[in-house]
Structures are given as structure tokens and as C-alpha cells.
């Protein structure tokens, strides 16, 4: 294990795998990262944002592949500006773009990458064989990479990123360009990296469901700004509301509920022909009240379910709010 | 028929295989850090440039070039053994003879080392490892120089050895000519460093191997032709002697002439610069090449 140097002035969080303060990157006048302040735990972190949100720029800046224009960052306890080599010794990186030599075998290349991370040749070869086995390329490891499918190439890229047993691995859009089956297998692999191998993961994607599936922490970027950084634990948690589908008379129903002290608001839906109400449900009593009102008004209830909060809600809520603030500013 | 008693457990089957747990294991072995990474990159680059662990077609050109420098070496040593007084095996003659072959070698190996990493976009992977950017350049320069030295130093050392072994008193000849050994190593190393750095510097401007090879070979041919034609046509102009700087083969011939006094070339005689001037010029070219490489591999936003 490395011995991270800590500066008393900055007081880094010892539990954080990544910490940034005012981390910025601009390309001329274009601000790609706008003063990002982050403190990420050892976890499977989803880095979410639309194309051009700054995900790849953040990863590449944290690795020292491109120079930030402002702020500071510590990755696995090392300062990215002054201890870049130490950072990279303990971190893995899987880029989004094709980055493999075609005329070499997977075993040779992954072994070479292990050596490039400081492993002695013999151990590097052994690790390469083991990791290629772990990513499902045990049998194919002596084949030339140019004969591999897209999914197999992604696995080679993943293998080279973890062959040196890093503490943290950055995966930049690892499912890009893969078919549904390959994507599913890749997500399983990524999930295993954190849960089984114990390597912290920063998983960049613009696909909400991928992040929802394998991550337990999410960082949302939009236009280079940090929009949210929070655990995903409250995703799928109940929101304390009930979605009610009525055949008709939603306004009358809402008014009756309001008389009994329960707030309800009408929801517009493009996909359903029924009237929809979102009913505040602070306790179990609300179900009895809904029943009583339905009986009293002879209302036909077509559906009733508890509302859960999805990552999409978090994303749209945060991004929408941030854009609104920017517009007002 | 086997006689296995009913109450006896069956004999354990002969063990012919074992099941291993291949779950993930953390690596807690040694880590060699930055130096190990650079060493690995040097070795890997040399192997790739020689076509090792690549298809057989990748090995053809290096093989032919090594054969091309070995045949004259064998002939020279053989003739010296048969006719010792012939003085056929001159170091300068050998170096001049193989210059073009070495030129082809660096023109093909240099782009193989530099352009392929750009073309296949493996640079971000390298720069995400335990090296600094200039470490990458350093490793490539060392790899290329070591490879080129196998063409410029080893054959010359063998030639020196051959000349001593075919002399009447072997040990005495070795003692008397130990200075020549130092000189052939010096010129071979100088030769290798300059050509390697220049080939890599030119290659760093493109990610197409074929383009880099073409540029290096054509530049070499054109500059050599311009230098020789200029010296020929402008022989009444004093400054025309500086044209030798354009022709690296003549510069190396001039260095050899200073060291071994056995070169007979008009362009070298016309130039008539000191050994120090030539060496300073070659070092200057090398430094320029390194500056270009450093600039080409400085951190960039498009890396």
C-alpha cells in the first residue's frame, strides 16, 4: 500500500479516493470543467453526464494526461500535480476510444502494460494470464488483438486497466459500441471489479440504467459543472407519494382529498388516457381516505402505486434546476 | 475380476488433475516503479521494431538488413585473413559501405517505434502509466539507439577483432590497436545516437509509418544530392564547404577520416573542418532532435 503524503493545510479526507478543490480545465475560452469540488468515497462511482458534459476531461485531468488549468486534486491520496507518477502507479485507466495495438496478442500487450506499471516481467506475465482469465479471455489470450470482436477488445482494455491491481480504476464509457449482450457482460465485469476484487471504480457513462445498475454513488456533470455528488442509496426509495389513476374526475377527487387534509396534484401524462393524481401519503391512513372518497364519488380507480425515486428523477431534477439557475444568473 | 470386499471403501482413483481456485488475488509482490516501466518500454519497443512476436513478414526487412551488413564484414575479414597486407578491411570503408543500409534501418525502425503508438492510439495508455511524458521519449531514444548500435558498433568491433585475430601476433596486435577499438566504438555510438534521434524526431510529426519512412529516405537522398552537387558546382565559393552539413554520410566519413586517416572523398577534403567541429555539429543535431521530440510529446489537450 502506498503512503500518501498529506498536507495539513489542505486537510484531505482520508476516506476519500478522489478529492478536488476548484478543479478546472478550459480549452481557450471554452470551460470544460468549472471549478469542481469533489470528495468521492471508496465505492463504485458513476460519472454521469451527457456527451460533452466533461466526464472524459475530468478523468484525463485526474490522471495527468491533460493539464488542468486551475484548482487541485488528490487521487488515492496523492497530489495529481506533484505526484502524478505515484497516482498513475496505483490507478488504472480504460479509455473510451480504441487504444490497442492490433498486431500483438492480448497476453503480450496486457503483460507489457503490467510491466509499464512497475511489475517485474515474470509477475507481469502471470498477472496478465490471470486477469485475462478473469475478464473471460483465458482461452483467447494468445490470439492477435486484430482478430477480436468489439466486446473482446473492450475486455482487453479492461484487463490492462486492472492488471497491476490498482486501488482505483477509471472506466471511460466501457460499454460504448457494444451490443446488448456484450454490454450486459461488461456491466457484470465492472460490478465484479468493485464487489469481488475490491478495486474502487469510477465508471463514466451517459446511460442512466448502467449507472443505476452497478454504482452506489453518482456524480452528475452538466456543461462542465458539478451538478450532484451523492450516494445512490436513496434511489428506488419511496418518495412518500402515491400515483393514482382514475377513469375520470381527477379534479373533483383532489378537492375531496383536500377537504380531508390530504394534498393531491394532477399529473399530465402523454402515455396514459386516464386522469392521474399524485397524492401525498404521510401515513397509512391515506389509503383509507382514498377508498372512502372513491366510494363516495363512485370514482373508478384504474391503478394505484407508491412512487419511487429513480436516477432519472435525480438527474433531470438536478440538471434542470442547475440550468434554471444558470438562466436566471 | 476385482475382489473388492463389500465393506471396504473403494480405492481412491488415481489423481490426474487438480482444481485450482482462480478467484481474483491481489498483487502484493514487488513494484519496480518508473525505472521498471522505462526498461520495459525499451525492451518492448526494440522487440516490436525487430518484428519479434509479430507476423513473419515483419521480420523480413530487419533480417535482410542484418544480412546486408554481415556479408561485407565476413568478406573483409576473410580477405584480410588470406591477404594480410591488402589493408582491405578499413573501418572507414566499412562504415561508408553500410551507411545506406543503416539509413534504411533507422528509416523503418524509427517510425515503427513512434508512429504505431500514435496510429493505434496507445499513447493515452502509456501516459496513464507510471512514467512521465519525457520518459516515453527517453525510452524510445534509448531503444532506437541500442538497436542502431547493433548495426554500427557490433560489426565494427567484430571487424576490429577479425583484424587482430588475422594478424601475426594476436595479443600484440590487440595491444597495439586498442586505440582503434575505442575509436570504432566512439564513431559507432555517435553514428547511432544521431541517426536514431533524427529518425524519431521526423517520425513524431506523423502517425503514418509509410509517410515517415518516405520522408526520412527522400530527405536523406535529396540533402545528400544537394550537398554533393553544390560542392561540385560551387567549388570556387568558399562557403560551399559548409554544404557538407547537409550530407550526413559525408559528415560521418569526415569523422572517420579524422580518426582513421583513410577516407578519400572530395567533399570531405573540401570541407576540411576539425574533428571538434564535426562532433559539435552532430551533438547540436541530436540536441535539436531531442528538443523537437520533447515539444511533440509535451502535454497536450488532444493527447
Amino acid at each position: 500500500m502506498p503512503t500518501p503524503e498529506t498536507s495539513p493545510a489542505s486537510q484531505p479526507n482520508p476516506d476519500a479516493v478522489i478529492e478536488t478543490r476548484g478543479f478546472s480545465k478550459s480549452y481557450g475560452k471554452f470551460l470544460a470543467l468549472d471549478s469542481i469540488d469533489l470528495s468521492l468515497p471508496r465505492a463504485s462511482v458513476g460519472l454521469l453526464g451527457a456527451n460533452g458534459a466533461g466526464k472524459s476531461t475530468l478523468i484525463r485531468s485526474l490522471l495527468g494526461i491533460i493539464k488542468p488549468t486551475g484548482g487541485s486534486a488528490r487521487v488515492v491520496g496523492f497530489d495529481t500535480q506533484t505526484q502524478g507518477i505515484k497516482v498513475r502507479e496505483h490507478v488504472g485507466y480504460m479509455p473510451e476510444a480504441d487504444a490497442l495495438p492490433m498486431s500483438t496478442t492480448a497476453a503480450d500487450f496486457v503483460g507489457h502494460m503490467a510491466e509499464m506499471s512497475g511489475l517485474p516481467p515474470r509477475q507481469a506475465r502471470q498477472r496478465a494470464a490471470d486477469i485475462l482469465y478473469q475478464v473471460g479471455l483465458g482461452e483467447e489470450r494468445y490470439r492477435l488483438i486484430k482478430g477480436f470482436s468489439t466486446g473482446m477488445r473492450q475486455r482487453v482494455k479492461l484487463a490492462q486497466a486492472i492488471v497491476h491491481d490498482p486501488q482505483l480504476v477509471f472506466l471511460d464509457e466501457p460499454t460504448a459500441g457494444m451490443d446488448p449482450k456484450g454490454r450486459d457482460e461488461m456491466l457484470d465485469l465492472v460490478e465484479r471489479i468493485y464487489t469481488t476484487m475490491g478495486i474502487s471504480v469510477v465508471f463514466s457513462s451517459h446511460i442512466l440504467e448502467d449507472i443505476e445498475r452497478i454504482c452506489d454513488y453518482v456524480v452528475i456533470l452538466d456543461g462542465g459543472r458539478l451538478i450532484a455528488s451523492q450516494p445512490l442509496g436513496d434511489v428506488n426509495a419511496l418518495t412518500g407519494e402515491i400515483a393514482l389513476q382514475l377513469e375520470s374526475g381527477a379534479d373533483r377527487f383532489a378537492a375531496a382529498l383536500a377537504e380531508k387534509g390530504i394534498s393531491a396534484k394532477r399529473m399530465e401524462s402523454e402515455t396514459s388516457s386516464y386522469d392521474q393524481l399524485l397524492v401525498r401519503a404521510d401515513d397509512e391512513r391515506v389509503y383509507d381516505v382514498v377508498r372512502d372518497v372513491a366510494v363516495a364519488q363512485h370514482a373508478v380507480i384504474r391503478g394505484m402505486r407508491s412512487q419511487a425515486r429513480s436516477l432519472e428523477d435525480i438527474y433531470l431534477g438536478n440538471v434542470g434546476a442547475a440550468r434554471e439557475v444558470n438562466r436566471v444568473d | 475380476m476385482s475382489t473388492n470386499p463389500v465393506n471396504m471403501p473403494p480405492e481412491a482413483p488415481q489423481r490426474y488433475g487438480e482444481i485450482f481456485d482462480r478467484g481474483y488475488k491481489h498483487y502484493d509482490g514487488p513494484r519496480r516503479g518508473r525505472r521498471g516501466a522505462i526498461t520495459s518500454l525499451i525492451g518492448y519497443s526494440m522487440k516490436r521494431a525487430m518484428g519479434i512476436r509479430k507476423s513473419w513478414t515483419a521480420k523480413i526487412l530487419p533480417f535482410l538488413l542484418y544480412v546486408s551488413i554481415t556479408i561485407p564484414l565476413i568478406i573483409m575479414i576473410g580477405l584480410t585473413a588470406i591477404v594480410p597486407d591488402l589493408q582491405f578491411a578499413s573501418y572507414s570503408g566499412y562504415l561508408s559501405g553500410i551507411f545506406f543500409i543503416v539509413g534504411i534501418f533507422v528509416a523503418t525502425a524509427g517510425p515503427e517505434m513512434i508512429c504505431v503508438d500514435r496510429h493505434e492510439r496507445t499513447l493515452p495508455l502509456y501516459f496513464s502509466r507510471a512514467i512521465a511524458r519525457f520518459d516515453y521519449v527517453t525510452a524510445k531514444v534509448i531503444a532506437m539507439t541500442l538497436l542502431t548500435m547493433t548495426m554500427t558498433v557490433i560489426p565494427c568491433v567484430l571487424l576490429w577483432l577479425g583484424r587482430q585475430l588475422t594478424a601475426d601476433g594476436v595479443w600484440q596486435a590487440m595491444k597495439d590497436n586498442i586505440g582503434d577499438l575505442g575509436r570504432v566504438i566512439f564513431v559507432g555510438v555517435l553514428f547511432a545516437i544521431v541517426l536514431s534521434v533524427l529518425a524519431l524526431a521526423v517520425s513524431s510529426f506523423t502517425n503514418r509509418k509509410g509517410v515517415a519512412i518516405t520522408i526520412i529516405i527522400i530527405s536523406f537522398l535529396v540533402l545528400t544530392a544537394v550537398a554533393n552537387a553544390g560542392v561540385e558546382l560551387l567549388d570556387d565559393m568558399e562557403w560551399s564547404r559548409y554544404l557538407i552539413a547537409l550530407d550526413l554520410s559525408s559528415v560521418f566519413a569526415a569523422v572517420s577520416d579524422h580518426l582513421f586517416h583513410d577516407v578519400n572523398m572530395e567533399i570531405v577534403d573540401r570541407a576540411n573542418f576539425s574533428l571538434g567541429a564535426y562532433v559539435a555539429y552532430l551533438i547540436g543535431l541530436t540536441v535539436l532532435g531531442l528538443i523537437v521530440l520533447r515539444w511533440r510529446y509535451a502535454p497536450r489537450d488532444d493527447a
Side-chain angles (χ1 to χ4, degrees), chain A residues 8-328:
Chain A
S10 61
Q11 292 183 338
N13 174 3
D15 297 328
V17 73
I18 295 173
E19 268 203 308
T20 67
R21 293 279 178 272
F23 203 58
S24 303
K25 172 69 190 172
S26 56
Y27 299 100
K29 288 182 181 171
F30 176 71
L31 198 56
L33 292 176
D34 185 3
S35 195
I36 304 284
D37 291 327
L38 271 179
S39 182
L40 300 183
R42 294 183 189 276
S44 177
V45 178
L47 188 55
L48 181 64
N51 290 331
K55 304 186 297 291
S56 298
T57 305
L58 177 61
I59 290 176
R60 287 145 65 96
S61 303
L62 289 173
L63 279 166
I65 295 176
I66 53 176
K67 264 190 177 173
T69 42
S72 64
R74 298 182 78 83
V75 177
V76 293
F78 298 106
D79 188 304
T80 57
Q81 299 285 309
T82 57
Q83 297 172 293
I85 290 175
K86 276 283 174 201
V87 169
R88 294 193 290 272
E89 204 172 301
H90 295 281
V91 169
Y93 171 53
M94 175 184 177
E96 181 184 1
D98 281 341
L100 298 173
M102 293 294 120
S103 57
T104 188
T105 64
D108 270 351
F109 180 66
V110 175
H112 171 52
M113 281 293 137
E115 285 190 55
M116 287 297 299
S117 295
L119 272 65
R122 191 157 161 245
Q123 284 89 333
R125 279 197 299 276
Q126 183 60 50
R127 284 284 302 178
D130 287 348
I131 293 297
L132 284 166
Y133 175 83
Q134 295 290 337
V135 300
L137 291 175
E139 299 295 321
E140 293 88 357
R141 65 184 187 273
Y142 294 120
R143 277 175 53 192
L144 294 180
I145 292 171
K146 67 181 166 193
F148 283 7
S149 66
T150 305
M152 290 162 83
R153 287 180 189 176
Q154 291 293 85
R155 284 160 189 255
V156 176
K157 283 202 296 186
L158 182 61
Q160 65 78 31
I162 57 173
V163 68
H164 54 299
D165 193 24
Q167 295 178 44
L168 166 72
V169 63
F170 289 106
L171 308 175
D172 196 356
E173 305 268 4
T175 56
M178 298 180 81
D179 59 33
K181 185 170 176 286
R183 182 170 149 240
D184 196 51
E185 289 169 355
M186 177 56 76
L187 289 174
D188 281 345
L189 273 173
V190 174
E191 195 171 16
R192 277 189 52 220
I193 290 175
Y194 178 62
T195 55
T196 311
M197 302 181 187
I199 298 169
S200 297
V201 173
V202 172
F203 173 87
S204 144
S205 179
H206 60 274
I207 303 172
L208 293 166
E209 56 187 283
D210 286 0
I211 287 183
E212 207 165 12
R213 176 172 153 185
I214 63 167
C215 298
D216 42 25
Y217 197 96
V218 67
V219 171
I220 301 175
L221 293 177
D222 184 54
R225 289 183 175 215
L226 178 66
I227 302 300
S229 172
Q230 64 182 80
L232 271 176
D234 58 348
V235 170
N236 296 327
L238 296 181
T239 58
E241 288 172 324
I242 299 168
L244 204 59
Q245 284 187 329
L246 297 164
E247 200 158 270
S248 61
D251 292 333
R252 203 156 53 93
F253 202 99
L257 287 175
E259 280 173 19
K260 294 183 183 295
I262 294 169
S263 69
K265 61 182 177 187
R266 189 165 180 153
M267 286 194 304
E268 296 303 324
S269 171
E270 292 173 359
T271 55
S272 172
S273 59
Y274 298 120
D275 286 358
Q276 310 231 16
L277 278 182
L278 202 58
V279 180
R280 185 78 216 152
D282 293 325
D283 54 46
E284 291 291 314
R285 190 181 65 92
V286 74
Y287 293 99
D288 295 336
V289 175
V290 166
R291 180 201 59 209
D292 295 344
V293 170
V295 169
Q297 297 191 350
H298 303 289
V300 179
I301 296 176
R302 289 292 177 182
M304 187 162 77
R305 63 179 168 83
S306 296
Q307 281 285 85
R309 189 169 151 85
S310 70
L311 180 57
E312 189 175 359
D313 296 328
I314 296 174
Y315 179 75
L316 293 176
N318 283 299
V319 170
R323 286 182 183 170
E324 188 65 27
V325 168
N326 288 345
R327 203 167 55 81
V328 170

